[in-house]
Amino acid sequence: MIVPLAVMQKEARKKGFAVPHFLGANFEMTLAAIEAAKECGSPLALGFAPEVFAMIPLEYAVPMLREAADRATVPVSIQLEHGTGYEILARAISLGMQSVMFDGSHLPVEENIQKTKEIVKMAHAFGCDVEAELGYVGGSALCDIESKESRETDPDIVLEFIQQSQVDSLAISFGNVHGRYRGEAKLNYALVEKIAGMTEVPLTMHGGSGLTKEQYKKSIEAGISNIHFYTNITLGLWRSLEELAKKRNSQPVYHEICGATIAYFKKEILNIMDICKSAGKA
């Protein structure tokens, strides 16, 4: 069943867990996540990121996600991630996305506020909630893209940003990065606590891959209500498929590869749901 992401995030904040958020770019990833959520009774968020899966048209991805979420027996939210323009967000909403993220983190603050405000007005008119980003989460899930340095969220402008834009959730930067961490991850939990103490708007964490269980635990305790994962559940996939290839003399049938991929993703996602403390919260 489809549940608005903002509703799910608020519930997570009240009950002290984080909504596990995965890319649902194709059928294998989507089915694995939903099956994992059903098995452990977890709410689930599925996103589509155009910059990561540029080869998959939005017109195919969104209906697939919406149909899968609608059929699920656990609460599932679907979101367009990191939309950087009015047009793509409007397209996503028209196709059935019930949450969108406007990523204006690369813009000057005043411009980020103004554009976020415009997106919120449009999205809310169609019953769609909006996530924005304040500060800048660096790194990249793409191997061929040069990663940029993160810029921590300035707590002094959080309230103004939220009040003017009327966003439903806020992605913040506190040492988290997209893709693989380069060196030791240093998360500013005090910053999360400070921002969480200022507002009831749920806080989200992008770049949730590769941390220790204790770092996830502390992030949630500090006030994070939604954690995004992609890299974390894909890094060991090739090794798993190589094992399958060995068993099939390097010539597995394609449907076996699909099945092995679903099984691998499901195993990794179940582990993350345990880390997020979302199991049993559906």
Side-chain angles (χ1 to χ4, degrees):
M1 69 188 112
I2 295 180
V3 174
L5 184 54
V7 171
M8 198 179 283
Q9 291 166 333
K10 288 175 182 177
E11 185 74 5
R13 176 158 181 167
K14 286 179 186 176
K15 295 184 177 179
F17 69 94
V19 176
H21 197 301
F22 305 96
L23 285 188
N26 59 23
F27 181 74
E28 289 84 357
M29 298 177 82
T30 299
L31 181 60
I34 289 177
E35 289 299 312
K38 284 166 56 179
E39 184 170 312
C40 72
S42 172
L44 168 69
L46 292 170
F48 183 78
E51 80 280 12
V52 177
F53 289 96
M55 75 295 294
I56 301 177
L58 205 62
E59 286 73 16
Y60 287 86
V62 178
M64 183 272 291
L65 279 173
R66 186 168 182 89
E67 180 70 13
D70 200 35
R71 287 174 176 269
T73 56
V74 291
V76 181
S77 296
I78 57 174
Q79 181 190 51
L80 181 79
E81 298 184 54
H82 297 288
T84 56
Y86 194 95
E87 181 183 353
I88 192 168
L89 296 173
R91 279 172 57 208
I93 293 170
S94 71
L95 289 165
M97 214 50 118
Q98 50 84 250
S99 176
V100 294
M101 176 192 182
F102 172 63
D103 187 350
S105 60
H106 58 291
L107 301 172
V109 173
E110 287 303 320
E111 187 176 356
N112 190 1
I113 291 173
Q114 186 56 41
K115 290 193 173 182
T116 301
K117 188 175 180 179
E118 293 170 4
I119 296 297
V120 168
K121 184 177 180 180
M122 179 265 293
H124 283 183
F126 291 94
C128 181
D129 61 61
V130 180
E131 175 183 333
E133 184 172 322
L134 187 60
Y136 182 81
V137 179
S140 176
L142 304 176
C143 296
D144 56 349
I145 297 294
E146 183 180 350
S147 64
K148 296 180 180 179
E149 290 296 317
S150 295
R151 183 180 69 254
E152 281 194 346
T153 302
D154 182 352
D156 292 337
I157 59 176
V158 166
L159 284 182
E160 179 189 1
F161 186 92
I162 290 172
Q163 288 166 358
Q164 289 200 38
S165 66
Q166 294 297 297
V167 289
D168 301 287
S169 61
L170 186 67
I172 62 172
S173 177
F174 60 104
N176 45 316
V177 300
H178 292 288
R180 300 190 191 195
Y181 282 84
R182 293 155 180 83
E184 182 183 356
K186 296 180 181 179
L187 301 181
N188 188 347
Y189 307 112
L191 177 60
V192 181
E193 288 179 355
K194 183 173 184 177
I195 295 172
M198 296 166 61
T199 178
E200 293 184 358
V201 169
L203 305 179
T204 72
M205 176 183 184
H206 290 253
S209 294
L211 301 174
T212 66
K213 192 168 184 177
E214 184 65 16
Q215 286 171 316
Y216 292 120
K217 179 175 178 287
K218 287 183 177 180
S219 297
I220 295 168
E221 289 175 348
I224 293 296
S225 301
N226 188 351
I227 304 178
H228 291 239
F229 299 90
Y230 169 53
T231 305
N232 215 48
I233 69 167
T234 62
L235 287 178
L237 177 61
W238 282 117
R239 288 192 297 274
S240 179
L241 294 180
E242 284 171 354
E243 290 300 316
L244 173 65
K246 287 178 184 177
K247 294 176 184 177
R248 299 291 185 268
N249 297 316
S250 299
Q251 292 185 338
V253 181
Y254 180 66
H255 73 267
E256 292 182 305
I257 296 174
C258 293
T261 299
I262 293 169
Y264 179 83
F265 283 151
K266 181 181 175 182
K267 174 175 67 71
E268 294 297 311
I269 288 169
L270 280 169
N271 181 52
I272 287 171
M273 287 174 170
D274 177 61
I275 288 171
C276 288
K277 300 193 292 185
S278 65
K281 301 298 197 305

